[in-house]
Structure formats: structure tokens, C-alpha cells
Amino acid sequence: MASTNDETIDVLNDLIETCEDGVKGFRTAADAVGNSRAKSLFTSRAQAIESASSQLSSEVRKLGGDPEKSGTAAGAVHRGWIDLKSAVTGKSDDAVIAECVRGENHAVGVYEDALKKTLPADVRSMVEQQYRGALANRDAMKQLDHGSSASFDTSTTDYSSESRA
């Protein structure tokens, strides 16, 4: 359980790494798909996650720590998998979208782990808001993955204070 500034900083830095993975992953996915709706969604999610990462970084600095500046090795492998899968399947949008669902499932898990820790109330509130954004991202990816005809309107969904991923 996180109970000191150092432990809280470690939790937040794990989330920052996950955010960085999400930003890079969504940008990779946006470059790999031809579907304009998916491309737009991936681009907007990358921007929202950047904002969430910035919030986390600010909090780390406020607590006296140094924010992480890069993603994880696993995230780099995941992006490589998106590239490989899109090349092997002839840039199949479905394959890229399926990888985005997998990535968002991972992000949700990282946020759930963070919320199991003891965090200062203001930090917990921010992490909970970003967790809800990660859930919304995952739901949006699942809509794309299932070919949902329902429109996911990225112009009215602002996760800047609620999203990580």
C-alpha cells in the first residue's frame, strides 16, 4: 500500500509509463489504419492521454519526485506487434483495432492496481477520474472492434481531466 510520498510517486510513475505507452500506441494505430473513424478516435485518444500524463507528471513534481519520461519495454513490444500485425494482415484495420482493445485492457488493469493502493485523497480522485477515462477508451475500442454502427463522438467527449488512456 502506498503511504509515503515515495510510494505515491512510484504509483504515479507507473501510470505515466502506461500513459506514454497509450499515446505512442494510439499514434502507431492511427498511422496503421485506413478507417477514418478509427484514425480520428485514435488521434483524439492520444491527445487526451497526453493531457492525463501531464496531470500525473505535475502531481509527481508537486510531491518532490521526477516524472517518468518514457513508456515501458512491454509497450514498445505492443507497438511493434501492431506494426507486425498490420504488415502481415495487409494493414488490416480489424487487427490493429483488436490490438488497441488489448492495450486498453492492460491500461485498465494498471489503473485498477493503482486504486488498490493507499493514496492521498486528491491523488486518488485524479486517478479515479483517469480510470474512468481508461474504461471509456476501452469501450470505444470495443465498439470499433465489434463494428458497432453507433457513433462515438470524440468531439464531445473530453477526457482531459478524466483520461489516461
Side-chain angles (χ1 to χ4, degrees):
M1 293 197 163
S3 59
T4 67
N5 270 3
D6 288 343
E7 292 168 330
T8 300
I9 289 167
D10 287 344
V11 169
L12 295 176
N13 274 330
D14 286 346
L15 295 173
I16 290 168
E17 286 180 333
T18 300
C19 285
E20 293 303 315
D21 290 343
V23 168
K24 292 172 186 171
F26 277 129
R27 286 195 176 130
T28 299
D31 290 342
V33 295
N35 177 311
S36 62
R37 180 173 168 238
K39 188 178 292 284
S40 175
L41 180 60
F42 297 157
T43 300
S44 72
R45 296 305 83 212
Q47 291 168 347
I49 294 167
E50 278 182 319
S51 178
S53 180
S54 182
Q55 288 177 335
L56 293 166
S57 294
S58 292
E59 190 63 33
V60 167
R61 282 189 289 279
K62 184 173 127 183
L63 293 169
D66 294 318
E68 288 295 326
K69 293 182 176 33
S70 63
T72 63
V77 168
H78 176 69
R79 288 185 301 280
W81 178 243
I82 289 173
D83 290 340
L84 174 64
K85 200 164 201 177
S86 65
V88 169
T89 60
K91 290 225 179 235
S92 164
D93 288 0
D94 291 340
V96 173
I97 292 166
E99 283 304 303
C100 288
V101 170
R102 192 168 71 91
E104 285 307 291
N105 281 333
H106 172 74
V108 165
V110 172
Y111 272 88
E112 288 171 346
D113 289 345
L115 289 169
K116 291 176 185 172
K117 311 286 183 175
T118 301
L119 300 169
D122 58 332
V123 172
R124 173 167 294 284
S125 177
M126 177 181 58
V127 171
E128 287 171 346
Q129 288 178 327
Q130 291 187 6
Y131 171 66
R132 287 189 295 275
L135 289 171
N137 280 348
R138 184 183 64 185
D139 291 347
M141 296 308 109
K142 285 181 177 181
Q143 282 182 351
L144 285 173
D145 190 37
H146 296 293
S148 173
S149 59
S151 174
F152 187 82
D153 185 358
T154 60
S155 66
T156 61
T157 307
D158 179 13
Y159 297 122
S160 60
S161 64
E162 300 176 13
S163 176
R164 82 92 215 100

